[in-house]
Amino acid sequence: MQISSLIEKINGGNNSFFKEIYGTDEVVLKEQADRYIKYMNEFKSIYGSDDVMLLSSPGRTEVGGNHTDHQLGRVLAGAVNLDNIAVAAPNGTNKVRITSVGFDPFEVNLDDLEVTEFKLTPGNILRTIAKEIKGIGLEVKGFDAVIHGCVPEGSGLSSSASFEVLIGAIFSNLFNDGKLDPVDNAKFGQKAEHACKKFCGLMDQTACAVGGFITIDFADKANPVVKALDFDFAKTGYSLVITNTGGSHGGLDEEYNALPGEMKSVAQELGQEVLRPLSMEDVVKGIPSIREKVGDRALLRSIHFQADNSRVVYQVDALESGNFDKFLELVVESGFSSYMYNQNIFVGGETKHQNVALALALSELVLKGKGAWRVHGGGFAGTIQAFVPNDILDDYTSTLESVFGKGNCHKLFIRSKGAVKVEL
């Protein structure tokens, strides 16, 4: 569609599609409209074309199942309204040219899709995704694109997964009438990371590709079961707030690697590779015979896994039955389990800097009996998650930002659409 026509349809953000993916705040809608117009004009100035397509790919938040995926457990996740957008158009060649705002422009020749240097670069991501799309019989052709991201890096909202499934959505919508299945799109994004020797799970890409609340069961490693939930978060009267506590993940590889390693040590002592085939009863019965071999922390982390893996089922049931209060109770339970048993809230022996723990304490002081709060993602440093009633949202954010800095509370909602063409 011509840029002038798109600008008219965007209508300053006052259109139904924008309201579905960005909410109803007039200031936010105007900001988003200006954002799209800015990068359409930038696309025209760089590539010369006036006939473009607009696409959006959300970030994601983990909601349930903390450190369960690497044990082939269950997770609950949701797409959020912070997104990556693309202004894209076919270029009639066999090359992809992308200008990604804030990064170096790059170009990929679609005649050569082999990844030879195993580095996680935008070019290597695109090569792998293009190869996978071709492998299922869909068209892969050259295009130009300007991409702009609003998913903060380091926020735990999966800016990389959002970018990956955006690339898949561009190929799908420019050349294949949107025929690429969202779950296949997610799997191709995961394969792109694996091709670069980053062995991530599938949760991030799936949440970004599918949209809304989703639950994933990883019991069958090769074919995880993905289910989208029919739940409208926008009607709850709550906001999802992700707070960046300022802690750095640098130097924490040992902490992160120890966590799945300890869980697996318990599983292996009980005759399994990972914890999923075992039950809570199996773990508890095994404690006397394996305690000295694996250590108490490994056992506590395994107890957390069994409880949080089951808890995801109850969270899904609560959402599907419309019992949001019960869902919030379960979020709090999950958070306490992560704190007491999984022990991924702060680094052992570190007493001066416990950013995540402090943020959780402040959240409980403000929200107790009114909302929910828990660690977000891997833990030890970084971010927390809270479901905050809108009538105390200002109080909550001002309290947290007084400690962790203005702008470090990201007020979000679960958006219903995944990586999609923007339909105006």
Side-chain angles (χ1 to χ4, degrees), residues 46 180 203 376:
I46 295 172
L180 178 61
M203 177 180 69
H376 184 241

Side-chain angles (χ1 to χ4, degrees), residues 251-423:
L252 296 180
D253 286 353
E254 185 176 344
E255 296 286 346
Y256 289 117
N257 292 334
L259 204 157
E262 289 180 9
M263 287 186 181
K264 287 181 179 179
S265 73
V266 172
Q268 288 162 2
E269 289 295 330
L270 297 176
Q272 299 291 338
E273 183 180 349
V274 293
L275 288 171
R276 178 61 188 274
L278 300 168
S279 67
M280 182 74 83
E281 185 180 15
D282 293 330
V283 173
V284 173
K285 282 184 176 180
I287 289 175
S289 62
I290 68 173
R291 184 183 177 195
E292 291 304 316
K293 295 179 182 178
V294 299
D296 290 346
R297 189 174 70 172
L299 291 165
L300 289 166
R301 285 174 164 172
S302 299
I303 288 170
H304 162 79
F305 167 82
Q306 296 297 344
D308 228 33
N309 188 50
S310 296
R311 194 174 287 115
V312 169
V313 176
Y314 300 126
Q315 288 178 313
V316 169
D317 288 344
L319 289 174
E320 291 188 322
S321 64
N323 190 347
F324 196 65
D325 288 339
K326 181 62 177 177
F327 166 77
L328 294 175
E329 290 177 18
L330 293 164
V331 172
V332 174
E333 284 184 16
S334 176
F336 278 115
S337 181
S338 291
Y339 207 139
M340 292 186 293
Y341 306 133
N342 208 37
Q343 300 182 35
N344 62 324
I345 306 304
F346 54 83
V347 177
E350 178 60 76
T351 59
K352 188 173 182 180
H353 301 292
Q354 296 188 3
N355 301 41
V356 171
L358 181 58
L360 293 171
L362 292 171
S363 297
E364 182 174 13
L365 289 172
V366 178
L367 296 177
K368 192 168 185 178
K370 303 172 186 175
W373 57 97
R374 71 190 283 269
V375 67
H376 184 241
F380 299 109
T383 58
I384 69 159
Q385 173 191 88
F387 292 90
V388 183
N390 289 334
D391 60 355
I392 59 170
L393 182 59
D394 289 343
D395 184 27
Y396 179 80
T397 56
S398 63
T399 300
L400 273 289
E401 289 189 345
S402 72
V403 175
F404 300 107
K406 193 167 180 61
N408 279 318
C409 285
H410 301 285
K411 293 169 275 191
L412 312 174
F413 64 86
I414 305 296
R415 85 176 210 183
S416 61
K417 293 189 180 298
V420 291
K421 175 184 175 182
V422 176
E423 300 279 4

Side-chain angles (χ1 to χ4, degrees), residues 128-133 135-138 164-165 167-169 172 178-192 202 205-206 209-210 222-224 226:
T128 305
I129 291 170
K131 184 177 181 179
E132 294 296 328
I133 291 174
I136 61 171
L138 295 181
E164 289 154 12
V165 300
I167 296 298
S172 178
K179 292 178 182 177
L180 178 61
D181 180 79
V183 177
D184 284 338
N185 190 9
K187 289 178 178 178
F188 298 162
Q190 180 196 39
K191 286 183 178 180
L202 190 61
Q205 289 85 356
T206 307
V210 175
N223 298 288
V226 180

Side-chain angles (χ1 to χ4, degrees), residues 56-126:
S56 166
S57 175
R60 75 94 186 100
T61 181
E62 171 206 286
V63 179
N66 190 228
H67 279 283
T68 54
D69 57 343
H70 49 67
Q71 301 299 302
L72 303 187
R74 306 178 186 92
V75 297
L76 174 65
V80 298
N81 51 302
L82 293 181
D83 65 347
N84 283 292
I85 66 169
V87 182
N91 60 23
T93 74
N94 211 32
K95 293 182 179 180
V96 172
R97 301 180 297 184
I98 293 180
T99 300
S100 191
V101 179
F103 300 90
D104 292 334
F106 68 97
E107 181 177 299
V108 170
N109 188 332
L110 297 175
D111 291 326
D112 181 13
L113 297 179
E114 293 303 315
V115 174
T116 55
E117 294 185 12
F118 303 115
K119 295 180 180 179
L120 192 63
T121 65
N124 282 341
I125 287 170
L126 192 143

Side-chain angles (χ1 to χ4, degrees), residues 131-165:
K131 184 177 181 179
E132 294 296 328
I133 291 174
K134 286 182 71 175
I136 61 171
L138 295 181
E139 292 285 342
V140 169
K141 299 178 181 178
F143 66 83
D144 298 325
V146 170
I147 293 176
H148 177 255
C150 278
V151 184
E153 289 190 74
S155 64
L157 297 173
S158 291
S159 57
S160 58
S162 176
F163 173 82
E164 289 154 12
V165 300

